[in-house]
Amino acid sequence: MIIWDLVVVGGGPAGLSAAHAAARAGARTLVVERATHPRYKTCGGGLIGISLAEVADRIEVPAHDRVDRITFTRDGRRRFTRRHSAPLVAMVRREEFDDRLRAAAVAAGAEVREGVAVRAVEQDPDEVRLRLADGDTVRARAVIGADGSSGVTARHVGVTWRQVDLGLELELPVPPAEQDRWRGRVLLDWGPVPGSYAWVFPKGDRLTVGVIAARGEGERTRAYLRDFVARLGLSGVTPEHDSGHLTRCRAEDSPLRRGRVLVAGDAAGLLEPWSREGISFALRSGRLAGEAVAGGDLDAYEREIRLRLVPEMRAGHRLLEVFARRPGVFHALLATPPGWRMFVRFCQGQASFERTLARRPVRAGLALLDRLPAPRRSATARSGAGPRQVRAR
């Protein structure tokens, strides 16, 4: 029986980045994916500068739009639009983006096996065994789990969550007049549920429209989506896809590894807590995991994540806390030149929230907001956003 140097579970951005990095370094690499590419994936599909830089040497990004204008609203009101001289976000359809990442991993030397689900993970000090749904067993010296936050590898490693959110999304086919209306422009609306927001992302002949809020606010989140679509004048459009999913953000002390099994991307709960942007975290964590396996130093992965990604997530939690308590202040800040510049730098990958929130004027402003009288519902009352940890299951 073949013993692979690395088996990657999951063929999304994290898993395919891991496979590409490991295979390019000479590791004998297999990817197992339960679906078959190209497959639809619930996702906004906005690539910020960090994501674009990560894939620049691998693929030509299949962008259906490149956005240079952002319209902001506060629950449908207080509308303003800002424009930048260069594109801020590239809009992709995940079925196309992921399929190109798959092709790049194969070109680097990885083998991809599709249409097979992993049912169980077993390991001893020398190897990992994956029990597949078709009855087969795959053996490897190391495994990288990239099969999502509800997948078998997250459960095996024992990932715990600090924050769990519900995202609802529609893919709406729109006529040419509506396409022209949205071309080059994104809408972000700060919603009525604490910590929530909605978006419109243009992708050629379709719009991705969605909302996200804390788990436990399901009915309010669904009502928010209905109201948002109605305000857009799109209630009569039949969606091509109408889907929902949970995004889970790791607790800071959550494990990233158990023995020879590492987790990356959503399986590790790696994402930006305020925006819930996960593609850049998936691409980076996947690459770091693949490099660690190929280099024979699995501990290096945990060190790199804690050095590079955990500080960004810590800053994102702080930002979400302020946003959930003071969405009006947050909205007003983005209308100012410093607030807009901060948003632009984040989109273009020029500055992380960690560096932004470390600046003295920003720290002073946040401290002032903390001293203001607390609203009736605090950020810690958000379902899944408090100190309670939830084990993957």
Side-chain angles (χ1 to χ4, degrees):
M1 183 179 291
I2 297 173
I3 301 179
W4 299 86
D5 295 324
L6 169 64
V7 174
V8 179
V9 183
L16 294 170
S17 294
H20 181 271
R24 186 166 60 175
R28 192 173 189 182
T29 303
L30 171 69
V31 179
V32 289
E33 162 61 38
R34 65 180 179 180
T36 301
H37 289 90
R39 81 283 190 267
Y40 176 75
K41 178 75 172 178
T42 302
C43 178
L47 301 187
I48 60 176
I50 295 174
S51 298
L52 295 172
E54 277 290 324
V55 301
D57 65 342
R58 276 189 269 168
I59 66 170
E60 181 179 347
V61 174
H64 286 267
D65 206 335
R66 294 185 184 271
V67 168
D68 61 6
R69 287 167 293 146
I70 314 288
T71 296
F72 300 95
T73 55
R74 171 74 175 97
D75 199 16
R77 302 180 297 275
R78 300 171 61 188
R79 177 190 184 100
F80 65 89
T81 299
R82 294 291 181 267
R83 186 169 192 166
H84 191 62
S85 58
L88 299 172
V89 185
M91 295 297 167
V92 298
R93 300 175 183 178
R94 280 290 302 277
E95 60 267 33
E96 298 172 352
F97 180 67
D98 290 8
D99 196 40
R100 293 205 181 182
L101 293 177
R102 177 202 57 78
V106 171
E111 183 175 325
V112 178
R113 183 175 174 185
E114 299 182 318
V116 179
V118 175
R119 293 292 185 231
V121 182
E122 303 167 353
Q123 64 171 310
D124 56 40
D126 298 319
E127 68 174 28
V128 185
R129 293 172 297 281
L130 301 177
R131 308 293 184 186
L132 307 184
D134 63 4
D136 195 7
T137 297
V138 176
R139 300 167 65 192
R141 294 184 174 86
V143 164
I144 295 175
D147 50 339
S149 61
S150 61
V152 65
T153 60
R155 294 194 299 273
H156 178 80
V157 171
V159 179
T160 56
W161 320 113
R162 171 177 173 170
Q163 174 183 327
V164 184
D165 296 293
L166 171 65
L168 304 175
E169 193 168 82
L170 305 174
E171 294 284 351
L172 302 177
V174 291
E178 202 70 26
Q179 297 170 32
D180 293 340
R181 176 189 174 199
W182 290 102
R183 186 171 293 111
R185 179 169 67 95
V186 155
L187 170 62
L188 297 176
D189 177 79
W190 317 123
V193 183
S196 68
Y197 75 95
W199 62 88
V200 178
F201 285 176
K203 299 175 185 175
D205 61 358
R206 74 171 73 162
L207 299 176
T208 299
V209 179
V211 302
I212 195 162
R215 183 184 64 174
E217 297 281 6
E219 185 49 47
R220 294 179 70 191
T221 305
R222 287 186 286 272
Y224 179 25
L225 179 60
R226 289 193 300 268
D227 293 344
F228 183 61
V229 173
R231 287 201 301 263
L232 297 171
L234 298 172
S235 297
V237 179
T238 301
E240 288 184 0
H241 297 280
D242 182 348
S243 58
H245 69 289
L246 294 177
T247 65
R248 297 176 172 93
C249 186
R250 69 189 295 271
E252 188 156 331
D253 61 352
S254 178
L256 294 163
R257 172 189 164 203
R258 177 181 171 186
R260 293 178 172 271
V261 180
L262 292 68
V263 283
D266 287 345
L270 295 169
L271 72 156
E272 197 286 301
W274 167 64
S275 66
R276 289 78 158 188
E277 190 278 322
I279 295 178
S280 72
F281 283 77
L283 294 169
R284 287 179 288 172
S285 63
R287 172 178 55 80
L288 291 169
E291 290 172 349
V293 171
D297 184 3
L298 302 188
D299 291 336
Y301 174 63
E302 297 172 281
R303 292 195 301 269
E304 289 297 306
I305 294 298
R306 294 192 172 101
L307 175 67
R308 299 173 184 270
L309 301 188
V310 168
E312 292 184 30
M313 296 178 68
R314 194 178 296 131
H317 282 298
R318 178 70 170 122
L319 190 61
L320 176 62
E321 179 186 69
V322 175
F323 171 63
R325 288 188 291 117
R326 311 285 180 185
V329 174
F330 191 90
H331 183 68
L333 173 64
L334 285 170
T336 67
W340 173 240
R341 286 195 297 270
M342 179 191 75
F343 189 82
V344 167
R345 287 195 295 267
F346 167 71
C347 290
Q348 295 189 324
Q350 297 172 350
S352 67
F353 288 142
E354 174 201 2
R355 292 197 295 273
T356 299
L357 267 59
R359 296 174 60 195
R360 184 175 299 175
V362 177
R363 292 203 312 270
L366 293 177
L368 176 61
L369 290 175
D370 287 339
R371 290 195 294 271
L372 293 175
R376 291 182 180 179
R377 179 186 174 106
S378 68
T380 55
R382 298 173 64 252
S383 174
R388 179 177 60 90
Q389 295 183 3
V390 183
R391 183 169 292 276
R393 63 183 185 274

